[in-house]
Amino acid sequence: AAATGGTVRLNHTSASYLDAVIDKLMDAGCEITTEREAINLQAPKRLTAVSLRTSPYPAFPTDMQAQFMALNAVADGTSVIRETIFENRFMHAVELIRLGASIRIDGNTAVVTGKEFLEGCTVMATDLRASASLVIAGLVARGETVIERIYHLDRGYEALDTKLAALGATVRRIK
């Protein structure tokens, strides 16, 4: 919802462990309200780029770094992402660049300059988090995006295509 400028309500969840992620989404321009068992998000038409540094909990989680790189690829401005937990955690950047993202990698740092839009193409998922970032990028790209090796996604996101379609996304699984 944040990437596409949408609105979403997540029921049966808690924001109690998501402070760092919620703070960054709010820095990007999202309006977020939390309830005991729900999170509501209203995104702006276009996000503002947010810099981040991954660190152990309760700081910003490395497991959200790839998804935020996709968000920053279409945000207004330039962001710096520093990955301090895992080496080679920027494998998704190459695929985002194939979609037209402006990303420069230097060691454990990525500089992402947001563009108004990405262009659909065929990309390849390399792991679970990379898969999620490519889905986000594909949702905001013009034209069709095909993500190969999507089996990585299924290890952590059950029936994501069905859930996204229920939110209004045009997605389909190709056999």
Side-chain angles (χ1 to χ4, degrees):
T4 61
T7 301
V8 68
R9 176 182 172 86
L10 304 172
N11 293 313
H12 310 294
T13 190
S14 171
S16 60
Y17 298 109
L18 297 172
D19 289 342
V21 174
I22 289 172
D23 288 347
K24 287 298 178 182
L25 286 168
M26 291 173 70
D27 289 348
C30 295
E31 293 180 24
I32 298 176
T33 58
T34 61
E35 301 168 22
R36 185 165 179 249
E37 292 189 20
I39 302 170
N40 300 291
L41 180 141
Q42 169 64 57
K45 184 173 180 175
R46 186 168 184 208
L47 298 170
T48 299
V50 291
S51 294
L52 58 96
R53 178 181 189 272
T54 64
S55 292
Y57 180 81
F60 193 87
T62 187
D63 288 346
M64 289 299 297
Q65 176 263 111
Q67 295 90 321
F68 269 76
M69 187 177 286
L71 294 178
N72 281 326
V74 292
D76 184 30
T78 298
S79 61
V80 176
I81 299 175
R82 286 193 175 80
E83 174 57 58
T84 68
I85 308 295
F86 293 109
E87 291 183 28
N88 299 323
R89 195 76 189 250
F90 289 145
M91 292 174 33
H92 53 280
V94 173
E95 299 303 308
L96 291 171
I97 291 168
R98 289 172 50 87
L99 289 159
S102 176
I103 303 169
R104 185 173 40 85
I105 305 292
D106 183 12
N108 71 336
T109 302
V111 178
V112 183
T113 302
K115 295 185 159 191
E116 249 186 273
F117 55 85
L118 301 175
E119 291 288 346
C121 69
T122 299
V123 292
M124 182 172 53
T126 55
D127 61 54
L128 174 61
R129 308 307 180 233
S131 301
S133 75
L134 296 175
V135 169
I136 292 167
L139 288 171
V140 298
R142 296 192 306 192
E144 183 176 270
T145 299
V146 175
I147 304 172
E148 296 180 341
R149 294 175 51 181
I150 201 70
Y151 59 83
H152 290 293
L153 187 79
D154 294 331
R155 292 186 300 116
Y157 297 93
E158 184 179 346
L160 184 61
D161 50 334
T162 303
K163 293 171 185 174
L164 290 172
L167 290 170
T170 305
V171 295
R172 63 186 165 92
R173 189 172 290 258
I174 302 170
K175 302 263 183 199

